Amino acid sequence: MRRVLLALAGLLPVVVGASAAAVAALWLVRHWLPADQLRASTAEVGNYLQAIGTIYAVLLAFVASSVWAQFNDARSVVEREANEIVDLFRIVDALGAGARTPLTAALIRYVDRVIAEEWRAMARGDEATTEAVGRELDAVWAGLHGFQPCDDCARSLHAEALSRFNDLSDARTSRLTAARTRMPLGLRLLLYVGALMMTASMFLLAVDSFAIHAVITGALAGAISHVLYLVEDLDDAFSGLWQVSTAPFARVRRCLRDADAARAAG
């Protein structure tokens, strides 16, 4: 319920503001260019609106679909990274106390810092913080690299741990790449210029009733602004209202800490 209220608090001012601005502009235009002066070009305006409306609708659908797919990819990468951490933790746990203690401690520190520091750093584009958090994984690599297996079982576990570490590093790189991915500036300008053109084009319709003209113009402006608001929010997967959740990492943190506490108690 709280998330719905937050969504409405952010969305309603945008939609209502865009609709109100469109209706106000329409009122000014109708005083300057009355509807009876537009009737002579009704057919031409209708063909123009059909063409530009189709082009902009295709563009808007393409961008909305792209950012939604991008958002889902980011969410999948986070889930994959969380799973790789758990898998690596379980393998490291079987290597023996000498290697296990520093490696598991480094993994727990990494998860803690991703949740506490790196999530906000990704939203801000803070590369220094992401590099600092990444050094926790460097400690894991150093521990794995320095480990000397003493038998076939340990060698097998060590090889699997190295493979899982590489998968974890790849998943982390994919997550950071997803956090940096944005719509190109040219595409963003095209979206907003197209929105203005579509809304302004409604002023050319020859509608006798200002109330009806205002309703259809305001509704179009509100619908477009609604989609653009969602596109802007989803374009940055790690900030905004619909950001990718830290829940997978929080789940991993509980799992790692419970396992570490159980081992210490046993």
Side-chain angles (χ1 to χ4, degrees), residues 43 55 63 75 83 94 101 107 120 150 153 206 216 243:
I55 293 171
V63 173
R75 189 160 50 187
N83 291 336
T101 301
L107 282 173
R120 291 193 298 271
C150 57
C153 180
I216 60 177
Q243 63 179 274

Side-chain angles (χ1 to χ4, degrees), residues 28-29 48 59 61 67 73 79 105 119-120 154 156 158 190 200 224:
L28 292 174
V29 170
Y48 161 75
L59 173 65
V67 295
D73 288 344
E79 289 281 358
W119 227 257
R120 291 193 298 271
S156 178
H158 183 239
L190 184 58
I224 292 175

Side-chain angles (χ1 to χ4, degrees), residues 182-195:
R182 297 289 186 279
M183 276 190 300
L185 177 60
L187 182 56
R188 180 173 273 108
L189 287 175
L190 184 58
L191 281 176
Y192 284 96
V193 171

Side-chain angles (χ1 to χ4, degrees), residues 1-258:
M1 186 62 181
R2 179 176 177 273
R3 193 161 195 174
V4 173
L5 292 176
L6 288 174
L8 290 175
L11 181 61
L12 283 178
V14 173
V15 173
V16 173
S19 299
V23 171
L26 173 65
W27 182 82
L28 292 174
V29 170
R30 281 179 66 98
H31 279 70
W32 172 66
L33 193 63
D36 56 1
Q37 297 184 19
L38 297 174
R39 288 194 181 89
S41 56
T42 298
E44 290 80 3
V45 170
N47 292 333
Y48 161 75
L49 283 175
Q50 184 176 8
I52 193 173
T54 301
I55 293 171
Y56 190 70
V58 171
L59 173 65
L60 206 58
F62 167 75
V63 173
S65 176
S66 297
V67 295
W68 178 244
Q70 175 182 305
F71 179 84
N72 278 328
D73 288 344
R75 189 160 50 187
S76 297
V77 165
V78 169
E79 289 281 358
R80 181 160 61 90
E81 183 180 1
N83 291 336
E84 294 294 349
I85 293 171
V86 173
D87 291 342
L88 180 57
F89 181 87
R90 288 170 177 166
I91 295 169
V92 164
D93 193 44
L95 288 179
R100 178 180 61 206
T101 301
L103 290 173
T104 56
L107 282 173
I108 291 173
R109 287 196 307 271
Y110 172 70
V111 173
D112 287 342
R113 294 191 67 183
V114 167
I115 296 173
E117 302 173 35
E118 194 166 42
W119 227 257
R120 291 193 298 271
M122 290 190 297
R124 299 192 306 266
D126 183 357
E127 297 291 338
T129 299
T130 58
E131 289 177 6
V133 174
R135 283 195 282 272
E136 298 294 349
L137 281 187
D138 292 341
V140 177
W141 167 251
L144 288 173
H145 186 263
F147 177 73
Q148 297 297 326
C150 57
D151 54 33
D152 289 342
C153 180
R155 277 190 287 272
S156 178
L157 288 171
H158 183 239
E160 183 63 22
L162 290 174
S163 177
R164 290 294 182 179
F165 179 84
N166 289 334
D167 292 340
L168 171 58
S169 297
D170 291 343
R172 171 180 168 79
T173 300
S174 297
R175 171 168 58 83
L176 295 179
T177 300
R180 300 184 187 106
T181 302
R182 297 289 186 279
M183 276 190 300
L185 177 60
L187 182 56
R188 180 173 273 108
L189 287 175
L190 184 58
L191 281 176
Y192 284 96
V193 171
L196 290 174
M197 290 177 60
M198 275 299 305
T199 304
S201 296
M202 297 296 292
F203 303 163
L204 301 177
L205 290 174
V207 181
D208 291 329
S209 170
F210 173 74
I212 295 176
H213 205 172
V215 167
I216 60 177
T217 302
L220 177 67
I224 292 175
S225 63
H226 189 165
V227 177
L228 291 179
Y229 178 85
L230 295 179
V231 166
E232 286 289 349
D233 195 277
L234 293 174
D235 185 48
D236 189 352
F238 294 93
S239 70
L241 182 62
W242 288 285
Q243 63 179 274
V244 176
S245 173
T246 59
F249 276 88
R251 184 179 66 248
V252 168
R253 179 170 58 182
R254 289 193 300 270
C255 177
L256 267 56
R257 290 192 176 279
D258 289 349

